[in-house]
Amino acid sequence: MPSFDYDLLIVGGGPVGASLALALASQPLRIGIIELSPQQSNIDSRALALAFGSFRIMDSIGYWADIAQEATPIEHIHISNRGYFGITHLDSTQIHLPALGYVVKMGFLNQAIYQRLKDFSQIELIRPAKVIQIQNRSNHTQVQITLNSEIHTLSAQLLIAADGAHSVVRQLLQVPVYKKDYDQTAIITNIETEHPHQFTAFERFTDTGPLALLPLAKNYSNVVWTVKSSQAPYLIEIKDEEFLSKLQDRFGNRLGKFIHADQRYAFPLQLIKTRQLISDRVVFIGNAAHNLHPVAGQGFNLGLRDIAALAEVLTNAHRQSQDLGNQAVLATYKQWRQWDHRIVTQFTDTLIHLFSNNYPLWGLSRGLGLATLDIFPPFKKVLMQQAIGLMGQQPRLVQGLSL
Ligand SMILES: Cc1cc2nc3c(=O)[nH]c(=O)nc-3n(C[C@H](O)[C@H](O)[C@H](O)COP(=O)(O)OP(=O)(O)OC[C@H]3O[C@@H](n4cnc5c(N)ncnc54)[C@H](O)[C@@H]3O)c2cc1C
């Protein structure tokens, strides 16, 4: 086998790219992570709802133990429709699991992942670096980067694009995307509530967009409030008391009075999905493949399932001394992942269309839908399998097995 600088080059050291490197750390592979930012932010305001399947992947990769003490279990999910009847409850005891999922602060997750990366000398972090050109050769790929104002050329068998929603790799290779602007913005903050959340995640659909509260430590919850983009600057700028009162009006009194809000942040929302999951010696994972609306908290969960499948495909190929950038190897990954991508993207997009309008008849049907879901266990079971991330063919890391 010819020798290149790396077996794998991962562009983007976000939670997905860096987790893939960790997933493959037990394999004899030389891995380079090209990351744009000089250091990973640990003050990201987002909290991630991780499905039970994602917990299994992180545990198999080996870094769950580092974040477990900071993770809050989700034991119940409560879904409601503001202004209409119809509620559904999902409960971890119904599927005999300790939790439906966990909530972890993004900043803490990044910190834990980067601490772990230091244990592996075969994983090299190349930063702050920018990819400027990609050239495909017959048996390897060549990547030009700028690093400390100098241009370097790196080679690898396979390039993995994990460089987020606005992927430069995608742009350089002119890979087409499907894009939809929701004209919605997510307002993120943490709030303290009068009553304890009892480890419940709330999803409340309102006529201006969905509102989610994810349980954190003590009486705190992370708020993901989707509003029309034109409303976002106002909701960021108003005083805390006014913000809390508007939020309370949308959510209701299930958690008593809202007492305190941390700093607020705004995230404009778009669906961006690559039309090609693989290209010559290139594969797309995480947000570089699918940037979703956060309504169902699926983005990172889907990215972790990309990692679990790709790590397994690459490990098998390496054990059989195959070229890791070979089209047949990449096609196996594509085959495995495209179904999950399609289902989750459509599910998320449909939720937004069904629940982000104020036509009375639609409101009534949504209420009926939620009530029906609550009464019929088979429907509910499908929703729960989806929520916990255990649908479809499960990679070894999801099953809690090593590669
Ligand atoms: C408000 C909100 C709430 C969310 N809540 C949830 C949730 O509850 N559950 C869930 O599963 N998901 C959730 N998500 C989605 C989740 O945040 C994303 O799916 C996840 O962050 C994707 O990770 P990633 O590593 O693929 O991309 P990113 O986090 O975007 O990371 C990309 C990395 O690539 C680097 N990069 C970019 N360009 C280049 C370049 N040219 N060269 C080198 N490096 C580059 C960036 O610096 C960054 O480090 C939420 C998203 C939002 C906006």
Side-chain angles (χ1 to χ4, degrees), residues 133-339:
Q133 201 180 55
I134 300 165
Q135 279 180 329
N136 192 26
R137 305 282 186 230
S138 62
N139 61 354
H140 68 283
T141 185
Q142 231 172 40
V143 182
Q144 256 187 16
I145 60 165
T146 51
L147 176 67
N148 299 324
S149 319
E150 286 173 8
I151 294 182
H152 297 258
T153 303
L154 308 174
S155 60
Q157 294 184 58
L158 176 66
L159 185 72
I160 297 155
D163 52 346
H166 304 287
S167 168
V168 165
V169 173
R170 231 174 36 209
Q171 290 166 30
L172 288 172
L173 296 174
Q174 299 185 330
V175 171
V177 291
Y178 172 77
K179 218 179 219 183
K180 185 191 269 186
D181 196 337
Y182 290 111
D183 188 25
Q184 291 182 340
T185 294
I187 308 288
I188 308 294
T189 187
N190 299 324
I191 58 163
E192 189 185 0
T193 59
E194 183 186 6
H195 301 319
H197 47 58
Q198 317 270 22
F199 305 101
T200 306
F202 292 90
E203 182 78 67
R204 186 151 174 78
F205 292 99
T206 83
D207 53 4
T208 52
L211 166 62
L213 262 67
L214 303 174
L216 295 173
K218 298 183 184 153
N219 277 17
Y220 272 83
S221 294
N222 181 260
V223 173
V224 185
W225 185 7
T226 304
V227 297
K228 278 209 158 301
S229 288
S230 57
Q231 287 180 297
Y234 168 74
L235 288 170
I236 292 288
E237 281 157 24
I238 53 178
K239 290 210 158 70
D240 288 359
E241 306 81 65
E242 203 181 337
F243 173 79
L244 286 171
S245 142
K246 290 194 178 301
L247 185 65
Q248 185 103 52
D249 172 62
R250 294 280 98 187
F251 182 78
N253 292 312
R254 279 201 176 84
L255 288 176
K257 193 171 161 38
F258 292 171
I259 299 168
H260 164 83
D262 287 349
Q263 188 168 350
R264 280 156 261 156
Y265 297 87
F267 289 82
L269 304 176
Q270 269 186 324
L271 166 64
I272 306 176
K273 194 167 179 289
T274 176
R275 290 191 187 272
Q276 284 171 221
L277 208 48
I278 57 172
S279 181
D280 289 342
R281 293 195 176 273
V282 176
V283 55
F284 294 92
I285 62 172
N287 272 25
H290 41 71
N291 180 61
L292 307 180
H293 192 294
V295 61
Q298 292 285 332
F300 183 56
N301 289 302
L302 198 59
L304 276 173
R305 298 204 287 278
D306 292 346
I307 292 170
L310 185 59
E312 188 165 325
V313 168
L314 293 177
T315 301
N316 290 343
H318 186 258
R319 284 189 187 134
Q320 293 160 15
S321 305
Q322 289 185 48
D323 171 358
L324 300 180
N326 170 342
Q327 274 299 303
V329 172
L330 303 191
T332 310
Y333 166 77
K334 177 182 160 188
Q335 195 73 22
W336 201 344
R337 294 302 301 142
Q338 58 191 6
W339 179 84

Side-chain angles (χ1 to χ4, degrees), residues 26-47:
S26 58
Q27 308 303 313
L29 295 170
R30 290 157 306 153
I31 302 174
I33 304 177
I34 302 168
E35 169 55 42
L36 193 61
S37 60
Q39 63 182 48
Q40 228 55 30
S41 160
N42 57 7
I43 50 160
D44 194 305
S45 54
R46 276 172 289 180

Side-chain angles (χ1 to χ4, degrees), residues 354-366:
L354 271 181
F355 286 96
S356 296
N357 66 68
N358 49 10
Y359 304 125
L361 269 178
W362 282 63
L364 205 63
S365 344
R366 290 186 306 235

